[in-house]
Amino acid sequence: MRSATDIIGKFRAHPIGRTHIPKIFELLQSRWKTAVVFIPYFWLLLFFLAPFFIILKISLAESLIASPPFSPLFEWASDGAMNIRVIFDNYAYLWEDELYLNTYLSSVKIAFISTVACLLIGYPIAYAIVTSSHTAKHVLLMLVILPFWTSFLLRVYAWMGLLADQGLINDLLIWLGFIESPVRLLYSHFAVYVGIVYTYVPFMILPLYANMEKLDMTLHEAAADLGARPFKTFLTVTLPLTMPGIIAGSLLVFIPATGEFVIPDLLGGGNVLMIGRVLYGEFHSNHDWPVASAVAIALVILLVVPMMLYQRVQSKESEQG
């Protein structure tokens, strides 16, 4: 009795086998590539696009005292016809009420200032890590990633203890003689900035480090040989080459900081206006799901549209270059 190996070997030796086996392998390889590409698209469709369209549908509904607390998008008439009921009043309400516009502007301002602060802190740290020795580089990277090993809420609560009126920072300032009585640090804009910068500065450092790791340090030596001072070398050589890392880190900080909820709620104590807290209040306190969904969709548009325009400009510049 012939084994399967003998049969396959004879099939490969046959002229038909020599013709079809490569085609079979090409077909399997193409199907495998299609499956590999399909998986991330399916993940994006399931966990981003599907929830987005659900929220979009709720934002076009009317608020009701029912369960669920909004009107259906499709309604069946008595004659059996299906009617689509779309309401844009929720989006109009966002423009009519100054609370939402002021909240959006406040969120963007806080996120922008926090992003600039993270950049000013993270850029020199990333450069120091890149230029350090091989052993020190791994230690410093571990220290940057170390905060992620603890709970995010625990770290925010720790800052509440540090910034409290009887907290460590006020006690230290009084002991050093800089102040005579505790300064109000907690439940302020300062506390929110501190919390956001502390939380998101690793997201600025890591992309900058990945970008700076690819830099050719001999360019600095060449610029120095040509008479460029260190600051001019930084402006003309280092800064332009690290711009992709700056943009990536800024996006990783700015986007989540704009919709931040936990930090302004715990460290701001209701005194700092950000869209995340307003969104939470509409869902859970007012039970107005359509307006809350409209706030969320407007926030997505506010963040995604500038990114799309920027990517379009970047693609045009790369094509021209």
Side-chain angles (χ1 to χ4, degrees), residues 15 27 48 56 60 92 99 109 115 122 129 160 175 178 190 193 203-204 219 222 234 248 252 271 277 282 291 296:
L27 179 62
F48 176 76
L56 179 63
L60 299 175
L99 170 66
K109 184 190 80 169
T115 302
I129 295 174
M160 293 181 67
W175 182 74
F178 290 109
F190 172 77
Y193 284 123
F203 295 99
M204 180 68 73
L219 296 175
F234 170 76
L252 288 176
N271 298 323
R277 297 193 69 258
E282 292 292 347
V291 171

Side-chain angles (χ1 to χ4, degrees), residues 221-237:
E221 299 176 3
D225 292 340
L226 294 173
R229 295 182 177 275
F231 185 69
K232 188 169 183 62
T233 302
F234 170 76
L235 292 179
T236 58
V237 178

Side-chain angles (χ1 to χ4, degrees), residues 10-131:
K10 290 184 177 181
F11 181 70
R12 285 181 175 178
H14 197 275
I16 298 177
R18 288 196 298 268
T19 304
H20 287 82
I21 284 180
K23 293 182 179 179
I24 293 173
F25 278 109
E26 289 179 2
L27 179 62
L28 292 175
Q29 188 177 11
S30 63
R31 294 289 177 86
W32 173 253
K33 289 181 179 179
T34 304
V36 170
V37 174
F38 173 76
I39 291 173
Y41 279 104
F42 176 75
W43 184 272
L44 182 66
L45 175 66
L46 183 63
F47 292 102
F48 176 76
L49 292 180
F52 175 80
F53 283 115
I54 292 173
I55 296 297
L56 179 63
K57 179 183 77 71
I58 297 175
S59 69
L60 299 175
E62 181 184 3
S63 180
L64 300 176
I65 303 176
S67 181
F70 54 87
S71 60
L73 180 63
F74 303 101
E75 294 181 342
W76 296 94
S78 57
D79 57 355
M82 185 179 67
N83 299 323
I84 300 177
R85 187 181 183 186
V86 177
I87 300 173
F88 294 95
D89 294 345
N90 300 314
Y91 292 95
Y93 181 67
L94 299 183
W95 292 103
E96 294 171 359
D97 195 337
E98 295 183 356
L99 170 66
Y100 300 101
L101 182 59
N102 293 335
T103 305
Y104 281 120
L105 294 176
S106 176
S107 300
V108 171
K109 184 190 80 169
I110 292 174
F112 177 77
I113 295 175
S114 301
T115 302
V116 173
C118 287
L119 179 61
L120 295 176
I121 296 172
Y123 198 98
I125 294 176
Y127 189 80
I129 295 174
V130 170
T131 55

Side-chain angles (χ1 to χ4, degrees), residues 270-310:
N271 298 323
V272 180
L273 198 63
M274 290 194 72
I275 197 65
R277 297 193 69 258
V278 173
L279 189 63
Y280 178 85
E282 292 292 347
F283 265 114
H284 295 277
S285 299
N286 300 336
H287 298 286
D288 196 342
W289 287 25
V291 171
S293 300
V295 172
I297 295 295
L299 179 62
V300 171
I301 295 173
L302 177 67
L303 296 176
V304 171
V305 170
M307 291 176 56
M308 296 175 60
L309 294 176
Y310 172 77

Side-chain angles (χ1 to χ4, degrees), residues 195-214:
I196 292 177
V197 171
Y198 164 76
T199 301
Y200 291 107
V201 73
F203 295 99
M204 180 68 73
I205 294 174
L206 295 177
L208 285 170
Y209 167 79
N211 181 249
M212 292 180 182
E213 186 73 13
K214 302 174 184 178

Side-chain angles (χ1 to χ4, degrees), residues 141-157:
L141 282 175
M142 186 190 68
L143 292 176
V144 172
I145 303 173
L146 192 62
F148 293 107
W149 295 4
T150 58
S151 171
F152 169 69
L153 283 175
L154 288 178
R155 286 182 279 142
V156 176
Y157 274 117

